[in-house]
Amino acid sequence: NMEITMKNAKITIEPIAECSLMLRYRAEVNADNSVIIGALATKIRSEFGQLIMNVTPSYNSILVDYLPYRISEHQFIDEINKLSKCFMNVFSSNFMESKVVTLPVYYSEETALDLARFIERGVSLSSLIETHTKQEYSVSAIGFAPGFAFLSDVETSIAMPRLTTPRLSVPKGSVGIADSKTAIYPSQSPAGWNIIGNCPIALFDVSNATPDSVDSISLFSIGDKVKFEAIDRATFIELGGDLNE
């Protein structure tokens, strides 16, 4: 086991199966710390792409499944240890430079596909808008598609479990809530989140991509803050929103 100390917290690295390592971030679970975990997971994925099968971050740990015939356990622990140490030093100084992104959202009966689920719980459209827009969220992880950012955490009153049966498709720009997270679907895709509105702004731009970084095509980086702003139908259409998808 290896330990790295940083900001009153330790990262421990231990083998837990034949080709799996568990990194545990021993600090309290909060939005800032899950941001750190998310950023470290993204870094491990980009640095060791050829050596790993999966990188699975949770609130305070990262499970890394690697290919044992490409690197030995001892060597991989050593590499992850070096990367984590360097990352923690750089991250601490960059963490203060995160930006705030404000995104326009058209919350309405025609774009909030799951409004009925909130109404059943006694949350009206206007109260959903007020609660969702009054808060500043942190980008805690970048998800399964370019530009898909998990934003933490919504107020308890509007937290909502995922749909039992995901939709086969939701329009690009759909804003959703799943449990305590909120996010925007950057492109048309299947979706298990509760859709509450639509954002007409493109969240990633493939023309920005560089060979080293897929992240450069996304509007968000880990640690950024996001605010939502309610807009009306006319503004939504003016900004390029499409209601016919």
Side-chain angles (χ1 to χ4, degrees), residues 138-233:
S138 297
V139 177
S140 54
I142 301 288
F144 55 83
F148 190 100
F150 292 87
L151 308 175
S152 309
D153 276 312
V154 299
E155 266 194 24
T156 326
S157 64
I158 60 168
M160 181 73 75
R162 288 164 187 264
L163 304 179
T164 335
T165 311
R167 284 192 168 81
L168 293 177
S169 175
V170 297
K172 169 184 175 178
S174 291
V175 178
I177 290 176
D179 302 316
S180 64
K181 300 281 178 277
T182 184
I184 304 171
Y185 284 87
S187 48
Q188 189 175 352
S189 62
W193 292 44
N194 301 278
I195 305 303
I196 60 169
N198 194 285
C199 170
I201 302 290
L203 296 187
F204 67 101
D205 177 0
V206 179
S207 64
N208 287 342
T210 61
D212 329 327
S213 171
V214 176
D215 294 346
S216 59
I217 67 179
S218 171
L219 184 62
F220 308 115
S221 305
I222 300 221
D224 285 348
K225 305 288 184 203
V226 176
K227 277 204 69 117
F228 294 104
E229 179 181 36
I231 54 171
D232 60 17
R233 192 177 199 272

Side-chain angles (χ1 to χ4, degrees), residues 59-131:
Y59 286 108
N60 58 353
S61 63
I62 304 172
L63 175 66
V64 183
D65 300 306
Y66 63 96
L67 299 163
Y69 53 87
R70 293 205 173 156
I71 192 165
S72 72
E73 180 183 280
H74 177 75
Q75 202 184 345
F76 194 46
I77 288 178
D78 207 38
E79 291 291 324
I80 290 266
N81 184 35
K82 265 190 260 177
L83 175 85
S84 303
K85 262 188 179 149
C86 171
F87 169 85
M88 286 309 194
N89 294 337
V90 173
F91 192 83
S92 314
S93 52
N94 286 353
F95 195 52
M96 297 312 155
E97 294 168 25
S98 60
K99 60 184 183 286
V100 178
V101 181
T102 300
L103 296 172
V105 176
Y106 177 41
Y107 302 90
S108 67
E109 290 182 3
E110 47 190 334
T111 54
L113 308 178
D114 293 299
L115 182 57
R117 296 190 77 194
F118 291 89
I119 289 173
E120 267 170 32
R121 196 184 267 191
V123 178
S124 66
L125 177 59
S126 58
S127 131
L128 178 61
I129 294 172
E130 190 194 336
T131 309

